[in-house]
Amino acid sequence: MVNKFKTVCLTAAIASSSATFAGGLLTNTNQHVAFNRMMSREASIGIDGVYYNPAGVVFMGEGSHLALNWQMAYQTRTIKNDYKLFTNNVNNPTTPRDFKGKAFAPVIPSFQYAYNKGRWSLQGNFALTGGGGKCTFDNGLGSFEKIVGETAMGAIGLAGAIDNALGAEMFTSDQTFGKKGSYSFNSYMHGRQYYFGLSAGAAYKVNDNFSVYAGLRGIYATCNYYGYVEDIKVGNMPLYQVLDPSKENSANIELSCDQSGIGFTPMLAVDYKIGRWNFSAKYEFKTRMRLKNKSVNQLPSIGNLDDNLKNQMNKVLTGKFMQAGLPQEQAMIKAEQTSTAVLADPTVVATTAGLKQQFDSKINKAIGEYADGKKIAGDIPSLLTVGVGYSPIDELHINVGFHWFDDYNATSYNNRNKLLKKRGTLEFNAGVEYDVTKKITVSTGWQNTNYGLTDKYMDDKSFVVGSNSVGLGGVYHITKKLDFSVAYFHTFYNHVKTSETVTLAPGVSNTYNSDYTRNNNAFAAGVNITF
């Protein structure tokens, strides 16, 4: 039970920091204010095209073009869990239970730059290409509590086996583990994940209608995960007393891990203009990313369980035998003999051996991803975008676009990416932009994101759900060379429900239900400058 609990704690942090923005599992696509207000930018000709349509940027006027952007994003993540054992929590005996995480990124900067001369356009882009914020679960996650509840049931099972062999009530008394499986604990999780991307490339105008682009993006990833599960108590017995009674923190679990890594993304793009139509496509190759851990983790040990149980029994039995009239020395000898015989009972031996074997066989899995000094896979998937733009009149621009993220072939730790559907993530978008006057432009847009999820992939330690996003905003053309933009977009997330049957003992099982969803808001402002 203890090592299962560790596995949950150590892997849960990744959920605390997954992207707060639009895009794939590890890709942010809102890198300019124009996206927030229109969503579909793949076929637009503008400075934001340095990211969305880099081949099309060459069709802008000659000179230097610069965009400076600021975004603020706020997201909540809610998992509703229903599990019978939650009613054993003495501090909150209710089920179902909502576990909420809050992610807030107050300042997300980005800039795009292009220098156009003749048939060439030299371009650069800086933005958060992945991650993008911090997330905190003040009360941990449902999977934390699930394993605490199961640990409590395992503890009273062991207590019952010992007391049956002893023929008296000791560890099942109300002063120790008890018989109900009641528990209490404190839990917290916080994560931060930023993937900074800096790209450089060049577009070439083959003729007045067709252009091509090639570029390279360098990515620096920096992540931090911190969390703990502490003060675990089963009945009235603090768990540390049977692990190492000399250390009150011996049963605590603490994760403190920094990760960093570097990757590179080659990019190719094309753009074709004809009449009032524009067509574009871009392909970003998979980014091989290996994150190196620098960790200071605290983990409990189960190795001294037998000795600690024996010491507990000796202390209690010595007192009882002395109360029955035995001298202290004889009482101690008899207590030693009795506790030795009890711990040699076949049922007790099988129970403790099962716990140790489970601990030893899975400890590497429990600490593997966040072990100090280890490098783990965290690839960013390849991305294909296609866009079509049409302007029926000069003042009106209509765009549609498509994104495909090859998440299935982007290697992640333990090949978890293979739990996804092979088709990857699909996104469809559409947007409309209208010049109300020569000074004011308004726009709106929509995007649908459909991940290739499976039930095996879904859990509260790392989850996403499909969504529909809408955005709106406007541009104030201060001068012919200076624009100011504002935008807001909101994402409406689906609900994904899963159910798992948990076997607690032969013939004893419970159902663990989960309902996953999110809520997201983003605000943006920026300026476009030509000089």
Side-chain angles (χ1 to χ4, degrees):
M1 289 296 179
V2 176
N3 64 295
K4 281 187 178 180
F5 192 29
K6 287 172 57 180
T7 303
V8 171
C9 180
L10 292 177
T11 58
I14 198 70
S16 306
S17 52
S18 55
T20 58
F21 301 135
L25 298 177
L26 267 178
T27 308
N28 291 338
T29 56
N30 49 335
Q31 298 189 19
H32 188 279
V33 180
F35 175 89
N36 295 53
R37 62 182 174 83
M38 189 177 175
M39 299 291 176
S40 186
R41 299 295 301 178
E42 291 72 29
S44 293
I45 305 297
I47 185 58
D48 62 289
V50 172
Y51 174 72
Y52 300 102
N53 179 21
V57 175
V58 73
F59 291 115
M60 298 177 67
E62 289 198 352
S64 294
H65 306 271
L66 175 66
L68 302 173
N69 307 281
W70 162 85
Q71 294 187 63
M72 178 180 68
Y74 176 77
Q75 184 180 104
T76 59
R77 308 169 193 186
T78 304
I79 310 105
K80 182 185 291 289
N81 294 127
D82 186 10
Y83 195 42
K84 185 177 180 180
L85 293 187
F86 286 173
T87 59
N88 292 336
N89 185 333
V90 296
N91 295 322
N92 188 3
T94 60
T95 186
R97 187 93 51 76
D98 282 347
F99 295 86
K100 293 187 176 181
K102 298 178 180 179
F104 180 55
V107 179
I108 305 121
S110 65
F111 74 79
Q112 292 79 35
Y113 173 78
Y115 175 71
N116 288 4
K117 183 68 174 179
R119 291 183 176 273
W120 289 93
S121 175
L122 304 180
Q123 304 171 24
N125 178 54
F126 171 81
L128 285 171
T129 59
K134 305 175 182 179
C135 187
T136 300
F137 287 83
D138 288 326
N139 297 310
L141 296 168
S143 55
F144 285 25
E145 184 163 348
K146 173 178 177 290
I147 303 302
V148 173
E150 292 171 1
T151 298
M153 297 302 292
I156 66 171
L158 177 59
I162 292 174
D163 285 5
N164 285 337
L166 181 64
E169 187 178 83
M170 181 181 292
F171 289 109
T172 57
S173 69
D174 290 338
Q175 288 72 39
T176 54
F177 289 129
K179 302 175 182 178
K180 298 179 181 179
S182 60
Y183 61 86
S184 62
F185 72 108
N186 292 316
S187 181
Y188 173 86
M189 183 54 64
H190 175 83
R192 183 195 74 233
Q193 187 183 69
Y194 292 105
Y195 280 50
F196 297 100
L198 180 63
S199 66
Y204 178 71
K205 187 190 302 182
V206 179
N207 55 46
D208 290 342
N209 301 96
F210 182 66
S211 61
V212 295
Y213 168 89
L216 182 69
R217 178 187 300 123
I219 297 175
Y220 172 70
T222 174
C223 313
N224 170 265
Y225 310 117
Y226 175 76
Y228 60 77
V229 181
E230 61 184 17
D231 301 331
I232 306 167
K233 183 184 288 187
V234 179
N236 286 305
M237 173 75 82
L239 192 59
Y240 79 88
Q241 291 187 4
V242 294
L243 296 184
D244 187 349
S246 66
K247 299 178 181 178
E248 292 189 6
N249 65 347
S250 62
N252 292 351
I253 304 163
E254 182 175 327
L255 167 68
S256 181
C257 178
D258 291 304
Q259 293 180 332
S260 61
I262 295 175
F264 297 93
T265 310
M267 300 172 290
L268 299 173
V270 295
D271 187 271
Y272 179 70
K273 293 167 54 68
I274 182 169
R276 292 186 174 275
W277 292 88
N278 192 57
F279 304 88
S280 72
K282 181 183 69 167
Y283 185 76
E284 298 185 0
F285 291 82
K286 181 177 74 173
T287 307
R288 185 184 185 277
M289 183 72 70
R290 295 298 179 266
L291 302 171
K292 186 173 182 179
N293 295 342
K294 185 177 180 181
S295 308
V296 182
N297 301 326
Q298 177 184 319
L299 308 173
S301 173
I302 199 173
N304 296 324
L305 179 60
D306 284 335
D307 290 340
N308 289 327
L309 288 172
K310 189 174 183 179
N311 290 335
Q312 291 273 350
M313 293 177 66
N314 285 344
K315 181 179 179 181
V316 175
L317 290 173
T318 297
K320 287 186 176 181
F321 293 149
M322 290 179 64
Q323 289 178 359
L326 287 178
Q328 181 177 4
E329 184 175 348
Q330 294 183 16
M332 292 176 64
I333 293 173
K334 186 173 182 180
E336 175 75 19
Q337 294 172 340
T338 302
S339 60
T340 299
V342 168
L343 291 175
D345 179 86
T347 301
V348 175
V349 170
T351 303
T352 54
L355 292 175
K356 290 180 181 180
Q357 183 180 15
Q358 187 184 54
F359 181 89
D360 292 337
S361 65
K362 296 183 179 180
I363 189 170
N364 184 61
K365 180 180 178 181
I367 67 174
E369 186 171 359
Y370 300 100
D372 185 48
K374 188 171 184 177
K375 288 187 177 181
I376 65 168
D379 291 351
I380 299 174
S382 58
L383 166 63
L384 172 68
T385 70
V386 178
V388 179
Y390 177 63
S391 297
I393 58 176
D394 291 343
E395 295 81 10
L396 180 63
H397 310 280
I398 303 170
N399 284 7
V400 295
F402 168 75
H403 303 159
W404 172 62
F405 301 88
D406 189 14
D407 298 308
Y408 183 81
N409 291 307
T411 306
S412 60
Y413 181 74
N414 239 5
N415 285 316
R416 187 166 182 264
N417 51 293
K418 297 302 181 182
L419 298 178
L420 294 163
K421 293 179 181 178
K422 291 184 178 181
R423 68 166 176 81
T425 297
L426 306 177
E427 284 188 329
F428 301 89
N429 59 49
V432 178
E433 189 171 56
Y434 182 68
D435 299 325
V436 180
T437 68
K438 291 183 179 181
K439 286 288 187 179
I440 297 176
T441 298
V442 296
S443 58
T444 186
W446 156 87
Q447 179 168 274
N448 173 265
T449 301
N450 190 337
Y451 299 102
L453 301 175
T454 65
D455 288 346
K456 290 183 179 180
Y457 186 86
M458 293 296 296
D459 62 52
D460 61 0
K461 296 175 290 299
S462 179
F463 80 90
V464 293
V465 292
S467 63
N468 284 279
S469 299
V470 293
L472 56 89
V475 183
Y476 179 63
H477 307 284
I478 301 173
T479 70
K480 291 182 178 181
K481 295 187 176 183
L482 179 62
D483 294 336
F484 174 72
S485 300
V486 293
Y488 164 77
F489 87 77
H490 179 79
T491 302
F492 300 89
Y493 287 93
N494 301 332
H495 283 258
V496 175
K497 298 181 180 181
T498 63
S499 183
E500 171 191 359
T501 300
V502 181
T503 300
L504 300 175
V508 180
S509 63
N510 281 331
T511 301
Y512 181 68
N513 297 313
S514 302
D515 184 339
Y516 305 89
T517 193
R518 296 187 180 196
N519 184 61
N520 188 70
N521 295 277
F523 302 87
V527 293
N528 295 340
I529 307 168
T530 299
F531 52 93

